[in-house]
Coordinates of all heavy atoms in Angstrom, one line a residue:
A4 N 104.1 83.0 72.3 CA 104.9 84.1 71.9 C 104.4 85.4 72.5 O 105.2 86.2 73.0 CB 105.0 84.2 70.3
S5 N 103.1 85.6 72.5 CA 102.5 86.8 73.0 C 102.7 86.9 74.6 O 102.9 88.0 75.0 CB 101.0 86.9 72.7 OG 100.3 85.8 73.2
Q6 N 102.6 85.8 75.2 CA 102.9 85.8 76.7 C 104.3 86.1 76.9 O 104.6 86.9 78.0 CB 102.5 84.4 77.3 CG 101.2 84.3 77.4 CD 100.9 82.8 77.9 OE1 101.7 81.9 77.9 NE2 99.6 82.7 78.6
I7 N 105.3 85.7 76.2 CA 106.7 85.9 76.4 C 106.9 87.5 76.1 O 107.7 88.1 76.8 CB 107.6 85.0 75.4 CG1 107.4 83.6 75.9 CG2 109.0 85.5 75.5 CD1 108.0 82.5 75.0
L8 N 106.3 87.9 75.1 CA 106.5 89.4 74.7 C 105.9 90.3 75.8 O 106.6 91.2 76.2 CB 105.9 89.7 73.3 CG 106.0 91.1 72.8 CD1 107.4 91.5 72.6 CD2 105.1 91.3 71.6
V9 N 104.8 89.9 76.3 CA 104.1 90.8 77.3 C 105.0 90.7 78.5 O 105.3 91.7 79.3 CB 102.7 90.3 77.6 CG1 102.2 90.9 78.9 CG2 101.8 90.6 76.5
R10 N 105.5 89.5 79.0 CA 106.3 89.4 80.2 C 107.7 90.1 80.0 O 108.1 90.8 81.0 CB 106.5 88.0 80.6 CG 105.2 87.3 81.0 CD 105.5 85.9 81.5 NE 104.2 85.2 81.8 CZ 104.1 84.0 82.3 NH1 105.2 83.3 82.5 NH2 102.9 83.6 82.7
T11 N 108.2 90.0 78.9 CA 109.4 90.7 78.6 C 109.3 92.3 78.7 O 110.1 93.0 79.3 CB 110.0 90.3 77.3 OG1 110.2 88.9 77.2 CG2 111.4 91.0 77.0
I12 N 108.2 92.8 78.1 CA 107.9 94.2 78.2 C 107.6 94.6 79.7 O 108.1 95.7 80.1 CB 106.8 94.6 77.2 CG1 107.3 94.4 75.7 CG2 106.3 96.0 77.5 CD1 106.2 94.6 74.8
A13 N 106.9 93.9 80.3 CA 106.6 94.2 81.8 C 107.9 94.1 82.7 O 108.1 95.1 83.5 CB 105.6 93.2 82.3
L14 N 108.9 93.2 82.3 CA 110.0 93.2 83.1 C 110.9 94.3 82.7 O 111.5 95.0 83.6 CB 110.8 91.9 82.8 CG 112.1 91.7 83.6 CD1 111.8 91.6 85.0 CD2 112.7 90.4 83.0
A15 N 111.0 94.7 81.5 CA 111.7 95.8 81.1 C 111.3 97.1 81.7 O 111.9 98.0 82.1 CB 111.8 95.9 79.6
A16 N 109.8 97.4 81.7 CA 109.3 98.5 82.2 C 109.5 98.7 83.8 O 109.9 99.8 84.3 CB 107.9 98.5 81.9
S17 N 109.4 97.5 84.4 CA 109.6 97.5 85.9 C 111.1 97.8 86.1 O 111.4 98.5 87.1 CB 109.3 96.1 86.5 OG 107.9 95.8 86.2
T18 N 112.1 97.3 85.4 CA 113.5 97.6 85.6 C 113.8 99.0 85.4 O 114.5 99.7 86.2 CB 114.3 96.6 84.8 OG1 113.9 95.2 85.0 CG2 115.8 96.8 84.9
A19 N 113.2 99.6 84.3 CA 113.4 101.0 83.9 C 112.8 101.9 85.0 O 113.5 102.8 85.4 CB 112.9 101.3 82.7
A20 N 111.7 101.5 85.7 CA 111.1 102.4 86.6 C 111.8 102.3 87.9 O 112.1 103.3 88.6 CB 109.7 101.9 86.9
L21 N 112.3 101.2 88.2 CA 113.1 101.0 89.5 C 114.5 101.7 89.3 O 115.0 102.1 90.3 CB 113.3 99.6 89.9 CG 112.0 98.9 90.4 CD1 112.2 97.4 90.7 CD2 111.6 99.6 91.7
W22 N 115.1 101.6 88.2 CA 116.4 102.1 88.0 C 116.3 103.6 87.9 O 117.3 104.3 88.4 CB 116.9 101.6 86.6 CG 118.3 102.0 86.3 CD1 119.3 101.9 87.1 CD2 118.8 102.4 85.1 NE1 120.5 102.4 86.3 CE2 120.1 102.7 85.1 CE3 118.1 102.6 83.7 CZ2 120.9 103.0 84.1 CZ3 118.9 103.0 82.7 CH2 120.3 103.3 82.9
G23 N 115.2 104.2 87.4 CA 115.2 105.7 87.2 C 114.7 106.4 88.5 O 114.7 107.6 88.4
C24 N 114.1 105.8 89.5 CA 113.7 106.5 90.6 C 114.6 106.5 91.7 O 115.5 105.9 91.8 CB 112.2 105.8 91.1 SG 112.6 104.2 91.9
G25 N 114.3 107.5 92.6 CA 115.1 107.8 93.8 C 116.3 108.7 93.6 O 116.5 109.2 92.5
Q26 N 117.0 108.9 94.6 CA 118.2 109.8 94.4 C 119.5 108.9 94.7 O 119.4 107.8 95.1 CB 118.3 110.8 95.5 CG 118.5 110.3 96.9 CD 118.4 111.5 97.8 OE1 117.5 112.3 97.8 NE2 119.4 111.6 98.8
R27 N 120.6 109.5 94.1 CA 121.8 108.8 94.2 C 122.4 108.9 95.6 O 122.1 109.9 96.3 CB 122.9 109.2 93.2 CG 122.4 108.9 91.9 CD 123.4 109.5 90.9 NE 123.0 109.1 89.5 CZ 123.7 108.4 88.7 NH1 124.9 107.9 89.1 NH2 123.2 108.1 87.5
G28 N 123.1 108.0 96.1 CA 123.8 108.1 97.3 C 122.9 107.4 98.5 O 121.9 107.0 98.3
P29 N 123.4 107.4 99.7 CA 122.7 106.9 100.8 C 121.5 107.7 101.2 O 121.5 108.9 101.0 CB 123.8 106.8 101.9 CG 124.8 107.9 101.6 CD 124.7 107.9 100.1
L30 N 120.6 107.0 101.7 CA 119.4 107.7 102.2 C 119.7 108.3 103.5 O 120.6 107.8 104.3 CB 118.2 106.7 102.3 CG 117.7 106.1 101.0 CD1 116.6 105.0 101.4 CD2 117.2 107.2 100.2
Y31 N 119.1 109.5 103.9 CA 119.4 110.0 105.1 C 118.1 110.9 105.5 O 117.3 111.3 104.7 CB 120.6 111.0 105.1 CG 120.4 112.1 104.2 CD1 120.0 113.4 104.7 CD2 120.6 112.1 102.8 CE1 119.8 114.5 103.8 CE2 120.4 113.1 101.9 CZ 120.1 114.4 102.4 OH 119.9 115.4 101.6
L32 N 118.0 111.3 106.8 CA 117.0 112.1 107.2 C 117.7 113.5 107.5 O 118.6 113.5 108.3 CB 116.3 111.6 108.6 CG 115.5 110.4 108.4 CD1 115.1 109.9 109.9 CD2 114.3 110.7 107.6
P33 N 117.2 114.6 106.7 CA 117.9 115.9 106.9 C 117.6 116.4 108.4 O 116.6 116.3 108.8 CB 117.2 116.8 105.9 CG 116.0 116.0 105.4 CD 116.1 114.6 105.8
G34 N 118.6 116.9 109.0 CA 118.5 117.4 110.3 C 118.8 118.8 110.4 O 118.8 119.4 111.4
T35 N 118.8 119.6 109.3 CA 119.1 121.0 109.4 C 117.9 121.8 109.8 O 116.8 121.3 109.7 CB 119.6 121.5 108.0 OG1 118.6 121.3 107.0 CG2 120.9 120.9 107.5
P36 N 118.1 123.0 110.3 CA 116.9 123.8 110.7 C 116.0 124.1 109.6 O 114.7 124.2 109.7 CB 117.5 125.0 111.3 CG 118.9 124.7 111.7 CD 119.4 123.6 110.8
E37 N 116.7 124.3 108.4 CA 115.7 124.6 107.2 C 114.9 123.3 106.9 O 113.8 123.6 106.5 CB 116.6 124.9 106.0 CG 117.6 126.2 106.1 CD 118.8 125.9 106.8 OE1 119.2 124.7 107.0 OE2 119.4 126.9 107.3
A38 N 115.4 122.2 107.0 CA 114.5 121.0 106.8 C 113.4 120.8 107.7 O 112.3 120.3 107.5 CB 115.3 119.9 106.7
R39 N 113.6 121.3 109.0 CA 112.6 121.2 110.0 C 111.4 122.1 109.7 O 110.2 121.9 110.1 CB 113.0 121.5 111.3 CG 114.0 120.4 111.9 CD 114.4 120.7 113.3 NE 115.5 119.9 113.6 CZ 116.7 120.4 114.2 NH1 116.8 121.6 114.3 NH2 117.7 119.5 114.4
Q40 N 111.6 123.2 108.8 CA 110.7 124.0 108.6 C 109.7 123.7 107.4 O 108.7 124.2 107.1 CB 111.3 125.5 108.2 CG 112.0 126.0 109.3 CD 111.1 126.5 110.4 OE1 110.1 126.8 110.3 NE2 111.7 126.4 111.7
R41 N 110.2 122.7 106.6 CA 109.4 122.2 105.5 C 108.1 121.4 105.9 O 108.0 120.9 107.0 CB 110.2 121.2 104.7 CG 111.4 122.0 104.0 CD 112.2 121.0 103.2 NE 113.5 121.5 102.7 CZ 114.5 120.9 102.5 NH1 114.5 119.6 102.6 NH2 115.6 121.5 102.1
A42 N 107.1 121.4 105.0 CA 105.9 120.8 105.3 C 106.1 119.3 105.1 O 106.8 118.8 104.3 CB 104.9 121.3 104.2
T43 N 105.4 118.6 105.9 CA 105.3 117.1 105.7 C 104.3 116.7 104.7 O 103.5 117.4 104.3 CB 104.9 116.6 107.2 OG1 103.6 116.9 107.6 CG2 105.8 117.0 108.3
L44 N 104.3 115.3 104.5 CA 103.4 114.9 103.5 C 102.0 115.2 103.8 O 101.2 115.6 102.9 CB 103.7 113.4 103.2 CG 102.9 112.8 102.1 CD1 103.0 113.4 100.7 CD2 103.2 111.2 102.1
P45 N 101.5 114.8 104.9 CA 100.1 115.1 105.3 C 99.7 116.6 105.1 O 98.6 116.9 104.7 CB 99.9 114.6 106.8 CG 101.0 113.5 106.9 CD 102.1 114.1 106.1
E46 N 100.7 117.4 105.5 CA 100.5 118.9 105.3 C 100.3 119.2 103.9 O 99.5 120.1 103.6 CB 101.5 119.7 106.0 CG 101.5 119.6 107.5 CD 102.8 120.1 108.2 OE1 103.6 120.7 107.5 OE2 102.7 120.3 109.4
T47 N 101.0 118.7 103.1 CA 100.9 119.0 101.6 C 99.6 118.5 101.0 O 99.1 119.0 100.0 CB 102.1 118.5 100.9 OG1 102.2 117.1 101.0 CG2 103.4 119.2 101.4
L48 N 99.2 117.3 101.5 CA 98.0 116.7 101.0 C 96.7 117.4 101.3 O 95.7 117.5 100.6 CB 97.9 115.2 101.2 CG 99.0 114.3 100.6 CD1 98.9 112.9 101.2 CD2 99.0 114.4 99.2
S49 N 96.7 117.9 102.6 CA 95.5 118.7 103.0 C 95.9 119.9 103.8 O 95.9 120.0 104.9 CB 94.6 117.7 104.0 OG 95.5 117.4 105.1
P50 N 96.2 121.0 102.9 CA 96.7 122.2 103.5 C 95.6 123.0 104.3 O 95.9 123.9 105.0 CB 97.1 122.9 102.3 CG 96.5 122.4 101.1 CD 96.2 121.0 101.5
S51 N 94.4 122.7 104.1 CA 93.3 123.3 104.9 C 93.3 122.8 106.4 O 92.8 123.6 107.2 CB 91.9 123.0 104.2 OG 91.7 121.6 104.4
Q52 N 93.9 121.7 106.6 CA 93.9 121.3 108.1 C 95.3 121.5 108.5 O 96.0 120.6 109.1 CB 93.6 119.8 108.1 CG 92.1 119.5 107.8 CD 91.9 117.9 107.7 OE1 92.8 117.3 107.9 NE2 90.7 117.6 107.5
N53 N 95.9 122.6 108.2 CA 97.4 122.9 108.6 C 97.5 123.3 110.1 O 97.1 124.4 110.5 CB 97.8 124.1 107.7 CG 99.3 124.2 107.8 OD1 100.0 123.5 108.4 ND2 99.8 125.3 107.1
N54 N 97.9 122.4 110.9 CA 98.0 122.4 112.3 C 99.6 122.2 112.5 O 99.8 121.1 113.0 CB 97.2 121.6 113.0 CG 95.7 122.0 113.0 OD1 95.4 123.1 112.7 ND2 94.9 121.0 113.0
P55 N 100.4 123.2 112.3 CA 101.9 122.8 112.5 C 102.2 122.6 114.0 O 101.8 123.3 114.8 CB 102.6 124.1 112.0 CG 101.6 125.1 112.1 CD 100.2 124.5 112.0
A56 N 103.0 121.6 114.1 CA 103.5 121.3 115.5 C 104.7 122.2 115.8 O 105.4 122.5 114.8 CB 103.9 119.8 115.6
P57 N 104.9 122.5 116.9 CA 106.0 123.3 117.3 C 107.4 122.6 117.0 O 107.4 121.5 117.3 CB 105.9 123.7 118.7 CG 105.0 122.6 119.2 CD 104.2 122.2 118.2
A58 N 108.3 123.4 116.4 CA 109.6 122.7 116.0 C 110.3 122.4 117.2 O 110.4 123.3 118.2 CB 110.3 123.6 115.0
P59 N 110.9 121.2 117.4 CA 111.7 120.9 118.7 C 113.0 121.7 118.6 O 113.6 121.9 117.5 CB 112.0 119.4 118.5 CG 111.8 119.1 117.0 CD 110.9 120.1 116.5
T60 N 113.3 122.2 119.7 CA 114.5 123.0 119.9 C 115.6 122.2 120.7 O 115.2 121.6 121.7 CB 114.4 124.4 120.5 OG1 113.7 124.2 121.8 CG2 113.4 125.2 119.6
S61 N 116.8 122.3 120.3 CA 117.8 121.5 121.1 C 118.4 122.4 122.0 O 118.6 123.7 121.7 CB 118.8 120.8 120.1 OG 119.5 121.8 119.4
S62 N 119.0 122.1 123.0 CA 119.6 122.9 124.0 C 120.9 123.6 123.4 O 121.3 124.6 123.7 CB 120.1 122.2 125.3 OG 120.9 121.1 125.0
A63 N 121.6 122.9 122.5 CA 122.8 123.4 121.8 C 122.5 124.7 120.9 O 123.2 125.6 120.9 CB 123.5 122.3 120.9

Side-chain angles (χ1 to χ4, degrees):
S5 62
Q6 286 179 332
I7 294 171
L8 181 62
V9 168
R10 288 183 183 184
T11 302
I12 291 172
L14 179 63
S17 299
T18 302
L21 290 174
W22 184 45
C24 69
Q26 72 180 46
R27 293 180 180 242
L30 296 176
Y31 66 95
L32 291 173
T35 62
E37 296 84 17
R39 290 187 196 122
Q40 299 293 329
R41 295 183 189 149
T43 61
L44 181 62
E46 291 172 351
T47 59
L48 294 176
S49 59
S51 62
Q52 298 175 356
N53 191 5
N54 296 326
T60 58
S61 65
S62 61

